[in-house]
Amino acid sequence: MLNQTLLQVRERLKKDVEQLKLKNPNFRPGLVVLQVGDRDDSNLYISMKLKAAAEIGINAMHLRLPATATEEEILHSITEVNKNSSVHGLIVQLPLDSVHEIDTEKVTNSVAPEKDVDGLTSINAGKLSRGDLGNCLIPCTPNGCMELIKQTGVSVAGKRAVVIGRSKIVGAPMHDLLLWNHATVTTCHSKTVDLAAEVGRADILVVGIGKAEMVKGEWIKKGAVVIDCGINHVIDETKSSGKRVVGDVHFQSAKEQAGFITPVPGGVGPMTVAMLMANTVLSAKRFLESHQAGKWNISYTRLNLRKPVPSDIVISRSCAAKSIDSLAREVGLFSDEVELYGKTKAKVQLTIIKRLQSLPDGKYVVVTGITPTPLGEGKSTTTIGLAQAMGAHMKLNVFACVRQPSQGPTFGIKGGAAGGGYSQVIPMEEFNLHLTGDIHAITAANNLVAAAVDARIFHEATQSDKALYNRLVPLSGGERTFSPIQINRLKKLGIQKTEPSALTEEEINRFARLDIDPSSVTWQRVLDTNDRFLRKITIGQSPTEKGYTREAQFDITVASEIMAVLALTSSLEDMRQRLAKMVVATSRRGDPITTEDLGVSGALTVLMKDAIKPNLMQTLEGTPVFVHAGPFANIAHGNSSILADKIALKLVGPEGFVVTEAGFGADIGMEKFFNIKCRYSGLRPHVVVLVATIRALKMHGGGPTVTAGMPLPKEYVEENFNLLEKGCNNMRKQIENAKHFGVPVVVAVNAFKTDTEAELDLVCTLAKSAGAFDAVRCSHWAEGGAGAVALGEAVQKASSAPSNFKFLYDLDVRIRIIAQKIYGADDIELLPEAQHKVALYTKQGFANLPVCMAKTHLSLSHEAEKKGVPKGFILPIRDIRASVGAGFLFPLVGTMPTIPGLPTRPCFYDIDLDPETEQVNGLF
């Protein structure tokens, strides 16, 4: 019967594991057995456990620490296993065979209760003693004993049970387990009077006293169930070892009395191992149940709305943010998938992608706007307000995914980009300043490339081939060895050699000399500060540079191609490849020079290894936000990262929503979102939200210019249907632009207190007549998520509407289609430099990359002052540049600074730190 019972338990557990894998193909129960020292008996027990785990389908690992391990080292190892989400059971093999004094109780209690498959922690023992059997892990030996008793067919309820022994491992938990299975239980021990009489009354007898054959057969009640947990060695000269194993019960005499008795060995021991496996599977099941993707147990933060609406920083500080580790747990992130950066921000490990890859995505929403005006449309505020509405008020799983802002505008004229009013990412000062250092990492990586370019030109100009080669492949320990990145260059050159001394003089020349044309260098240095005086500089003026000078410039960091690479990458490996492909210059032979040729691409990956992880923050109402990447929306594509979107889409589940924002107007950021970001990500959006305001539409209708610091002209604060209706042509065109991609459009009219009901109704009516799925007014700036519930409901309905997403162009025809269909141009004109670049990039093999149009965001045309919907213009293409690593060409329409300047009165006049509270003041 024992063998049959064991077989049944194992088969049941195998089926359980198979069911878990069917539900989640990437999931396997995980078990770690931690051993200190190298005792032979421990090794034997561990091998039995690992074998049993493998048979069932549990992923088991033996973690062996040396006998010299200290208590601190043992506790550290246990803590690491506790944090590992792929491990569901942890066994600390006793005894701890260390040369140091170890507190065994402290060690066993350091195991996370939910992973304590031995059931030895005080928390599990306490729950068992209180009868909380469904919320604890029961010690394996007592659990095995109960399984054996059940298999006899004897009902425990109402029976008289006697337990001999009161150890924490067997006796005490056995008593509790029998008690809560409704037996009448007596525990006997060394001080018990007339033990034989107590045993004689037992219907069920469990013995774990550690004394060989102490319980005699004549003590036992006829027909009783006897479970012998003892393992003792007695002298037996007939055995080759000189001893044999016996239990605590005299088996030969007891089997004549008992209705059932477990043998020793071969009885309770194998069942104990089986129960270890059962506890591991149970722990894995509980883990999956409590971490089901898309099933959030999230709490929301209630807003305390004030009127008039205070400043953004006052609102941000008035809200008590949840601890970021709590939010991470609420949305289904495991503790080992989250790296905390203080209490309000964290990075998310990319390992989560593999864990969630088989799960369905949620609904994908992109927020864009009409052509921007100096009056602002509130895309960021709408993005956050919509997320708050769908989460805190509609109780849907929702993630906002937004760009990280540059510090340049924060200290310049624009201010922060965390949203505004009662629709913000918090804390806004953390969001707008250093965050987790991603932009600083990009600055360092970018400038390392710039330094490498100029250093290589300098060294090639001042050294012979032999001297250059000897320095590139230096002697180390008397030998020269190529680095892996140099092997890559040799392969690129078609040189199939790996021994430095084997290269011919011609091969040495080709390998060592990149022969960069200094006038062709396209890679600029960057800084995350607005500084107009770095737009054109001269480098190399020190005497040590031996007369090598050239004109150069600084860009702002978010204009770096590395930022675009970060936003468009799909994995660490993909980022490494993209960084390696970045073209920094052209050789005098006309060949593209890449960072891989410079030998710097591996170092760039090292600098970017943390920046690739999305940053987790929250809104004022406690909904989650990914803040990741922040590429320019003119010379780059102006969208947050693909990685953040992909992770968020898995976390929200199939009924949830991910709301992301595209920079500038629909003709710029949205077009690039679809044609570049979606092309590389493979993601398909469900809804476009187009943001408009009454006063911005009036400006497009011919309203007067506005001056910073001066009151708005009356046209913008009084009802004016003439200007408004004319300006709605811009909204109509942007709706048309969105519909080119086959995605439903919902217009969000971001309301201001000066807007009239009639004006708001007119815009909504005209939007619907232009083909919008719906158009709703919003007041999320003043009311938080509650002010965007109507928008959320419209988006939810639109996400279920028929859609036919398609790209605007095939890769062989791009610039003209964008100019004509999106901007409304009659045609394009390629100026001489652009024509030259077409020929160059065709020769270099880059001609079929997507295009990222670099033009003013203030007009549909190339002339910023032309508002509304300009007609009858030819779009001039001044130049075309390549971001090969990011994966696009960017045609330049007109001229534009790539590093902003500071105004007469920058924002930094108002920014300061309170030395007592350490609060940042003056941000907006």
Side-chain angles (χ1 to χ4, degrees), residues 180-240:
W180 294 111
N181 277 274
H182 312 299
T184 301
V185 189
T186 300
T187 297
C188 299
H189 43 77
S190 59
K191 304 297 183 183
T192 298
V193 177
D194 199 357
L195 180 60
E198 295 290 349
V199 169
R201 288 191 282 270
D203 302 310
I204 298 168
L205 176 65
V206 181
V207 187
I209 198 74
K211 292 187 177 180
E213 299 180 327
M214 187 191 75
V215 176
K216 309 304 180 188
E218 57 268 24
W219 297 3
I220 296 169
K221 182 179 180 180
K222 190 69 175 178
V225 174
V226 179
I227 308 296
D228 188 353
C229 303
I231 297 178
N232 308 283
H233 294 89
V234 296
I235 295 171
D236 187 341
E237 294 178 356
T238 66
K239 302 292 183 182
S240 59

Side-chain angles (χ1 to χ4, degrees), residues 105 134 161 210 242 250 309 313 320 322 339 392 405 412 480 542 626 789 800:
E105 183 78 5
H250 189 275
V309 176
I313 191 73
K322 294 184 284 189
E339 295 176 10
R480 298 187 191 275
S542 169
F626 275 141
V789 169
S800 300

Side-chain angles (χ1 to χ4, degrees), residues 712-729:
L712 287 177
K714 63 182 179 59
E715 287 86 349
Y716 298 116
V717 294
E718 295 177 4
E719 194 170 80
N720 190 317
F721 290 113
N722 182 43
L723 287 179
L724 182 59
E725 192 160 358
K726 287 180 182 177
C728 281
N729 286 333

Side-chain angles (χ1 to χ4, degrees), residues 608-671:
M608 294 293 293
K609 70 181 180 63
D610 290 320
I612 195 175
K613 304 167 190 172
N615 304 297
L616 178 65
M617 295 187 76
Q618 64 191 286
T619 68
L620 283 166
E621 297 192 56
T623 59
V625 182
F626 275 141
V627 184
H628 198 216
F632 252 24
N634 46 24
I635 67 168
H637 65 291
N639 285 267
S640 59
S641 78
I642 286 173
L643 281 169
D645 290 0
K646 283 190 168 183
I647 293 170
L649 283 164
K650 296 296 184 186
L651 287 171
V652 298
E655 301 303 315
F657 287 80
V658 171
V659 182
T660 190
E661 177 191 350
F664 293 151
D667 57 307
I668 302 241
M670 183 198 70
E671 180 269 315

